[in-house]
Amino acid sequence: MSGGVPNRSSRVRHLFRGPRPEAVPVLVGRACALVGLLNVGAGVFPRFRHSRMHAMAEVLPGSFGPFAAALSLSAGVLLLLLAHGLKRGKRRAWRAAVALLPAGAVAQFTYRHSFLGVVISLALLAPLIIHRDQFSALPDPRSRWRALANFVLMSAGSLALGLVIVSVHPRRMVGNPSLADRITHVIYGLFGFEGPVDYQGNTSWTVAFSLGALGLLTAVTTIYLAFRPEHPAARLTEEDEQRLRALLDKHGRRDSLGHFALRRDKAVVFSPSGKAAVTYRVVSGVMLASGDPIGDVEAWPGAIERFMDEARAHSWTPAVMGCSETGGEVWTRETGLDALELGDEAVVDVADFSLAGRAMRNVRQMVKRIERAGYETRVRRIRDLGDAELERIRRAADDWRGTDTERGFSMALGRIGDPSDGDCLIATAHKADEEPGPYGDLKAILHFVPWGPDGVSLDLMRRDRAADPGMNELLIVAALQAAPKFGITRVSLNFAMFRSALARGEKIGAGPVLRAWRGLLVFLSRWFQIESLYKFNAKFQPRWEPRFVVYRASADLPRIGFAAMQAEGFVNLALPLPRFLRRRTPSARPCAHAVTERDMRAA
C-alpha cells in the first residue's frame, strides 16, 4: 500500500463497514408510503371501493363519513411525509408513525368500513413496535427556514389535492362551475369557509371537512417546524480551525485540496489521537467529505472510523468527493466502500513550464496579444496587499460572479483576504482606462490557496466581463512565471470531470461504447463544464492526477451526485432571497476550482 498506510485486520474492516440501511426500516418506510396512499385514496375517492356497508352508511343519519374522510386524508399525507424518515431509521419519524397508524385504522373503519384497511394499518404498527431499537437515528441539521419551505410546498400540494377533491364528484355537483370557481372553493375551504361550489347531499360536508383538514395540516406542520428546537448545520469553530491548520502545516503537502478543508461551512471529526481529521458537510441526508483526510496518513483510519460512526448515528449516506488514489485505497479498504474514478486534476510542474514550442503556440499568442493591448499583471501574497485593495478585490470578485448562486465546496475556500490566509497567492490583471470603473484599473482575479510549503491550488477565477478575452490564460501564465520567487514548484489548476473518457474517446481506434460515452459527455457540456474545462486545462500541458468518488452502493450514486451538485451550487433548493440579502448571506461562496462557461467562450 502506497503512502505507508498500515494494514488492518479483517475484523476491524468489518466494524467499519456501513452504515448500510437496515432491512426493517427500509421495508417499513415503503409500507408506510403504501398505507399513506391508501388513506389518501380513501379520503379523496370515498367510493373507489364499493360495499354494502358503505352504501348503507351514506343514507343513515349522523354518519361519521365527512369527519372520517378528513382524518383519513390527514393521516395519509403525514404518513407519506414520514416514509423517507422511517427508511433512514429516524426516531422522531417512528414516534409520529406509531401515533398516526391507529388514527388511519380508525378512519378506514369508520368511513370505508374496511376491515382490510384496519388490518393493513395494524400490521404495519406491529414491526414498528417490535423493531423500535432500529429507529434510533439522530435528527439532521436544520433551521427555521424549513418552516417557510414547508408552508410553500404544503400550500401548493394542498391546493392541487384540494382541486382533485372538489372535482371527483361531478354527478353530485350543482351546475357546472368553472376552474376559477373550483380554485376559489379550494382556497376558501383550506381556511374553513364555504366556497362557491355546491353539491347534493352530504358530499358538500365531505369536501368541506377534507379541505379543512388539508388547511389544518399545512398550518400545524408549519407551526411545528417553526417552533421546534433548531439543529443548525455544523460550522468550524476557532479551535477546530487552529487544529486543522496545525495538521496542514505538518502534512499539507500531501493533498492539493487540503487547504479547502478550512471552509467554515464544513464540520470536522478528528481521529482519537488528534493527528488526522475528516471535514464534511451534510446535504440532503448525504454526509459529503471532500479530498483526502487531513494529517498523518498513519492516523487516517481513526478519523475515517469517527466519520463512519457519525454517519451511522444520524443514518446519513457516507460519500467522499475528489479523493486521491491513495485516499481512495484507504477509504475502500477501511470501510468496505467502493470507489469510482471521477476525473482528473491538472497539475503543472513549474520547472517544466514554458511558453516556447508548438504545443503552447495558442496560449503564447493570446498572452502576447493581451499584453500589447495594455494589460499588466501582479502576483502577490495576500498578506502583502493593503486593506483598501483587498476590499476592492472582494467587491469585484462578488460582482463579477457569473451567477446569482455562489458555487463551490470541494475545491473552493469560500473567502478572499482573511487575515489567517496570508499565505494565499493572488494574481490580478490591470489596465488603465480613460474612464476608471468602480474597481479602478482591476480587470481580472485569480486566487490560489497553499498546497504545502512549495505549491498552490487554484481557488477561483473572476474577470470583468467587459475585459478582453484571455484574462484567465494571462493570469495563469503570470502566476506560473512568478512562482519560483515564492518558492512554488507546482500549481494545481482546475479539475476536469471524465477527462480520460474525453481524451480516449477522440483518439483513433476508440470503440463504439467509448465514442458513445464521449458523445454524451459532449452533449452534457452544453449545460455543464465538462469538455470545455478539460480543453482549457490541456492548454498548459499539465500532468493529470486522477480523483475518485467513494460511495457505499451503486444505488446511492444518483443521490450522492444530486447532493454534490447542491453543495457545489449547481442545484439550489433554497428559497430565493431578495437581492439586497444575497451578497450578505454567510452561506455565499465563490465558484469552486472551476471556470465559468462564459469564461470558456471568451477564451
Side-chain angles (χ1 to χ4, degrees), residues 240-258:
D240 290 338
E241 186 172 337
Q242 290 175 1
R243 294 177 66 184
L244 286 173
R245 289 185 182 277
L247 293 177
L248 288 171
D249 288 341
K250 295 180 180 179
H251 308 282
R253 194 180 191 279
R254 179 177 294 276
D255 186 15
S256 64
L257 307 187

Side-chain angles (χ1 to χ4, degrees), residues 388-528:
E389 186 174 7
L390 265 179
E391 180 59 28
R392 185 166 65 251
I393 289 173
R394 289 193 196 101
R395 290 189 292 108
D398 194 33
D399 287 345
W400 294 343
R401 188 174 64 238
T403 62
D404 288 336
T405 303
E406 291 280 8
R407 293 181 176 176
F409 165 67
S410 58
M411 301 178 185
L413 183 60
R415 58 184 182 267
I416 298 178
D418 191 281
S420 59
D421 297 323
D423 287 337
C424 289
L425 198 70
I426 191 163
T428 54
H430 304 262
K431 182 183 179 183
D433 295 327
E434 294 181 359
E435 297 181 4
Y439 312 113
D441 62 353
L442 184 64
K443 299 300 178 183
I445 304 164
L446 258 63
H447 187 253
F448 298 85
V449 300
W451 174 12
D454 61 347
V456 290
S457 185
L458 181 59
D459 176 24
L460 65 81
M461 308 170 77
R462 299 282 168 82
R463 69 178 184 86
D464 186 348
R465 296 300 186 247
D468 292 340
M471 290 291 102
N472 295 324
E473 287 89 338
L474 174 68
L475 289 181
I476 288 177
V477 170
L480 289 169
Q481 291 176 337
K485 74 176 183 181
F486 296 102
I488 295 171
T489 61
R490 53 192 179 153
V491 176
S492 170
L493 299 179
N494 298 289
F495 171 75
M497 290 186 63
F498 309 115
R499 195 276 316 174
S500 58
L502 289 169
R504 291 196 301 265
E506 64 184 356
K507 290 183 178 180
I508 188 171
V513 175
L514 188 56
R515 287 185 180 274
W517 174 227
R518 181 183 180 277
L520 177 60
L521 293 176
V522 172
F523 175 75
L524 294 176
S525 295
R526 299 180 181 181
W527 298 278
F528 302 100

Side-chain angles (χ1 to χ4, degrees), residues 63-79:
S63 169
F64 290 101
F67 173 76
L71 181 60
S72 177
L73 184 64
S74 301
V77 172
L78 287 174
L79 287 174

Side-chain angles (χ1 to χ4, degrees), residues 152-162 214:
V152 173
L153 295 176
M154 285 291 293
S155 296
S158 297
L159 184 62
L161 192 56
L214 286 175

Side-chain angles (χ1 to χ4, degrees), residues 17 42 76 190 193 211 268 329 375 401 455 508 531 536 577:
R17 287 182 182 272
L190 293 176
F193 299 105
L211 293 177
V268 61
E329 289 177 356
Y375 289 89
R401 188 174 64 238
I508 188 171
E531 184 185 32
F536 178 84
L577 294 175

